[in-house]
Amino acid sequence: MPRTRERTSNRGNDPDLMRRAADMCINEGKSERSVAGNLGICHVSLNRYIKKVRATEFSGSPTKCGYRPHTRIFDVDQETILAIYLKNYADMYFGLSTKDVRKLAFEFAKKMNLKMPVYWTENKFAGIDWFVNFLKRNPTLSIHQPEATSLSRGINFNPINVNIFMDKYESVLTKHKFEAFQIFNLDETGITTVQNPCKIVAQKGKKQIGAITSAERGTLVTMCLAVSAIGNAIPPMFIFPRVNFKDHFIRGGSPSCIGTSNKSGWMQGEEVLKFITHFTNHVRPTIEKKVLILLDNHESHLYLPVIDFCRANGIVLLSFPPHYSHKLQPLDRSVFGPFKKCINQEMVSWLKSNPGKRFTIYDLAAVTTNAILNAATPRNITSGFAVSGVWPFNRNAFSIDEFAPAVVTDIMLHTTENNNETQSINTEIPSINTITQTPSINVEIAEQRLSNEISPEMVRPYPKVQIHQKIVKKGGRKKGKTAILTDTPEKNELENKTKKKNKNIKRKLFNTAKKSKKVKATAIKKQKNKNKTLVIDSNDDEDAFCTICSELYSDSKSGEP
């Protein structure tokens, strides 16, 4: 028997038609057979529906038409509440797997004392047939592969911090009257020499299928890119993990691209200054016609020479709040994702065109040329600015359910510069009931009916962590914040922070040198004592008795054998 039976007709399944036929029989006194014949309805179904109407006439509840499947575990309202619960769990980044959903369904049915198949009780799981049909009955649900998201990003993305950034961004727009061609986003991404193999066609049933890569672990090269809100892109800069940079490193790269190198291959302050100079040569900002660059709070972006250069050349720097790049940064939203897929395909094509050769860091620049052209398109760039609410400016770009992960924790946040003034997430972020999205079924009726009954939340509560205020205020590195880096107060604060950091470094170096000097003196003293002990031991050996004449060696005459 097939799992899904397709209906051959729609007879008896139209509520409006059945209600009109019942009214004709009850109010106008017509016979059931004549009305059923004229409207194309089965007279038995009409008779059964009329009985339901008369039974529920005084209760006020709506009359349902059609049959209830005799094998259905949950009714429509119960499945609606279950679907809402699963959506909330997924929005909080704690989504349930298929196995967890089947286990939840069994526990939910057991808690409500519903009739269920025997194998549900034996396995303590709902059947796979129920799960497949549950997804078909609720088309708003589907199986997804989630993207790994750090805890810091989940709990820090909340309306409080978003509004703080939007206030600063709006003040910059109002003060300087920036247009779309004057707003840029700057960010870097890592490129490795080992690609992720894509899906291929192979023999069915074969367990192990391989794909050639250049090495077991790749070498990382950093690429820095800047894009504008009208869809233009500045030629990229590559940072190679080498001590000295050579021109052939960027051979075949994008026109006007530049390169540099350091020991790690990561972005550092000197590299940011070099890219900002490269950016200035292409954009040509001035004190009269300034431009705005949006960038994250990475330590290399807070390099003082960079800020001084930007202030002198008419560049305004605005930093995002920490751990917000996955939502607010246009490059992360719509450019770097397609770029990684395109460059992966280009590397696969390169290996197929050059069999037996290894892909090295010196081939990356040539491979990224087509990838940037296909990924950093005007459509993708402008979409990233729009979806993050940067341009056109939209402080309500994020829906309520996108703040759901922050509901999991109760953390006191410093919302103002004064650390004494704090505000809780719970006062700003809506509850789980507010985050709920209404599906196509009538949720209000379902919630009203199940208000006094058992809900899935009673079986498996939503994740909630209570973090004590002392834990939040523990010591360590001070948390970053969104700031207009080129403003005088922010620059002075950054200078004081840098001076304090350099002072601490000098003190640590002095203490280390002092300790090293002390350790060295102690080692020399130990060595002298050791040498002195060896001399004494050697003198004792010289005073030994001779086995021939039985005299001491110290009493022997000079030159005596």
Side-chain angles (χ1 to χ4, degrees), residues 381-517:
I381 295 173
T382 54
S383 298
F385 278 89
V387 73
S388 58
V390 175
W391 191 269
F393 175 69
N394 181 15
R395 63 170 58 248
N396 299 319
F398 304 104
S399 57
I400 298 178
D401 61 291
E402 293 185 75
F403 300 114
V407 181
V408 178
T409 55
D410 293 326
I411 297 182
M412 301 296 291
L413 296 177
H414 297 283
T415 58
T416 63
E417 296 183 359
N418 186 3
N419 292 338
N420 296 327
E421 299 180 15
T422 58
Q423 192 168 358
S424 175
I425 288 180
N426 290 339
T427 59
E428 294 289 338
I429 296 182
S431 62
I432 293 296
N433 297 328
T434 310
I435 295 174
T436 300
Q437 293 182 352
T438 305
S440 57
I441 313 174
N442 194 344
V443 180
E444 295 181 358
I445 298 177
E447 291 181 345
Q448 182 179 2
R449 177 184 171 185
L450 297 179
S451 59
N452 298 324
E453 298 182 11
I454 298 172
S455 64
E457 188 177 356
M458 299 175 63
V459 178
R460 184 192 286 258
Y462 288 115
K464 194 71 173 177
V465 178
Q466 297 292 337
I467 300 181
H468 198 271
Q469 189 173 359
K470 291 183 179 180
I471 301 178
V472 179
K473 290 186 176 181
K474 64 180 181 180
R477 186 174 62 180
K478 187 177 179 181
K479 186 177 178 182
K481 61 180 181 179
T482 176
I484 306 173
L485 301 177
T486 49
D487 281 0
T488 302
E490 302 292 345
K491 181 178 179 294
N492 294 338
E493 181 181 353
L494 189 60
E495 286 179 347
N496 296 332
K497 183 179 178 182
T498 305
K499 290 180 181 178
K500 185 177 180 181
K501 183 179 179 181
N502 294 336
K503 187 177 180 180
N504 293 335
I505 293 175
K506 289 182 180 179
R507 186 174 66 251
K508 288 182 180 179
L509 291 175
F510 176 77
N511 294 336
T512 304
K514 187 177 180 181
K515 185 177 180 181
S516 177
K517 188 177 180 180

Side-chain angles (χ1 to χ4, degrees), residues 46-96:
L46 179 59
N47 178 266
R48 189 182 297 109
Y49 184 79
I50 291 175
K51 290 181 180 179
K52 291 180 182 179
V53 171
R54 288 172 177 170
T56 59
E57 183 176 1
F58 299 102
S59 63
S61 59
T63 305
K64 298 180 181 179
C65 64
Y67 296 95
R68 181 185 183 276
H70 65 284
T71 57
R72 179 76 64 84
I73 309 298
F74 305 104
D75 58 20
V76 177
D77 298 334
Q78 293 167 347
E79 284 198 352
T80 301
I81 300 299
L82 185 60
I84 295 172
Y85 174 84
L86 295 177
K87 290 179 185 177
N88 291 340
Y89 237 96
D91 290 338
M92 298 167 71
Y93 293 178
F94 285 88
L96 301 181

Side-chain angles (χ1 to χ4, degrees), residues 235-463:
M237 182 183 75
F238 299 93
I239 306 171
F240 295 89
R242 293 292 183 268
V243 176
N244 298 317
F245 173 76
K246 305 296 181 182
D247 291 338
H248 69 270
F249 288 3
I250 57 174
R251 183 178 53 227
S254 302
S256 301
C257 70
I258 61 173
T260 184
S261 63
N262 55 43
K263 291 183 179 180
S264 64
W266 291 90
M267 178 69 82
Q268 297 178 5
E270 293 80 4
E271 285 71 28
V272 176
L273 180 59
K274 185 172 183 178
F275 183 80
I276 291 294
T277 306
H278 170 69
F279 172 86
T280 306
N281 295 334
H282 284 80
V283 180
R284 302 290 182 181
T286 60
I287 300 297
E288 293 76 19
K289 296 183 179 180
K290 296 184 177 182
V291 297
L292 172 65
I293 296 181
L294 303 172
L295 69 174
D296 55 40
N297 253 320
H298 192 264
E299 187 177 3
S300 62
H301 299 162
L302 307 180
Y303 190 49
L304 277 176
V306 172
I307 298 177
D308 292 334
F309 181 86
C310 292
R311 287 167 60 95
N313 290 273
I315 300 176
V316 180
L317 298 179
L318 175 61
S319 64
F320 295 112
H323 311 296
Y324 275 55
S325 60
H326 66 298
K327 291 290 186 181
L328 288 176
Q329 187 136 240
L331 281 170
D332 283 343
R333 293 300 299 267
S334 62
V335 177
F336 283 158
F339 172 75
K340 292 295 180 67
K341 293 182 180 179
C342 292
I343 197 172
N344 199 68
Q345 296 173 359
E346 293 291 334
M347 292 172 66
V348 172
S349 301
W350 190 95
L351 288 174
K352 291 179 180 179
S353 303
N354 300 272
K357 293 184 179 180
R358 296 182 184 274
F359 188 87
T360 64
I361 60 174
Y362 311 117
D363 302 313
L364 271 176
V367 168
T368 56
T369 302
N370 290 332
I372 292 176
L373 291 176
N374 294 329
T377 60
R379 181 185 296 273
N380 287 352
I381 295 173
T382 54
S383 298
F385 278 89
V387 73
S388 58
V390 175
W391 191 269
F393 175 69
N394 181 15
R395 63 170 58 248
N396 299 319
F398 304 104
S399 57
I400 298 178
D401 61 291
E402 293 185 75
F403 300 114
V407 181
V408 178
T409 55
D410 293 326
I411 297 182
M412 301 296 291
L413 296 177
H414 297 283
T415 58
T416 63
E417 296 183 359
N418 186 3
N419 292 338
N420 296 327
E421 299 180 15
T422 58
Q423 192 168 358
S424 175
I425 288 180
N426 290 339
T427 59
E428 294 289 338
I429 296 182
S431 62
I432 293 296
N433 297 328
T434 310
I435 295 174
T436 300
Q437 293 182 352
T438 305
S440 57
I441 313 174
N442 194 344
V443 180
E444 295 181 358
I445 298 177
E447 291 181 345
Q448 182 179 2
R449 177 184 171 185
L450 297 179
S451 59
N452 298 324
E453 298 182 11
I454 298 172
S455 64
E457 188 177 356
M458 299 175 63
V459 178
R460 184 192 286 258
Y462 288 115

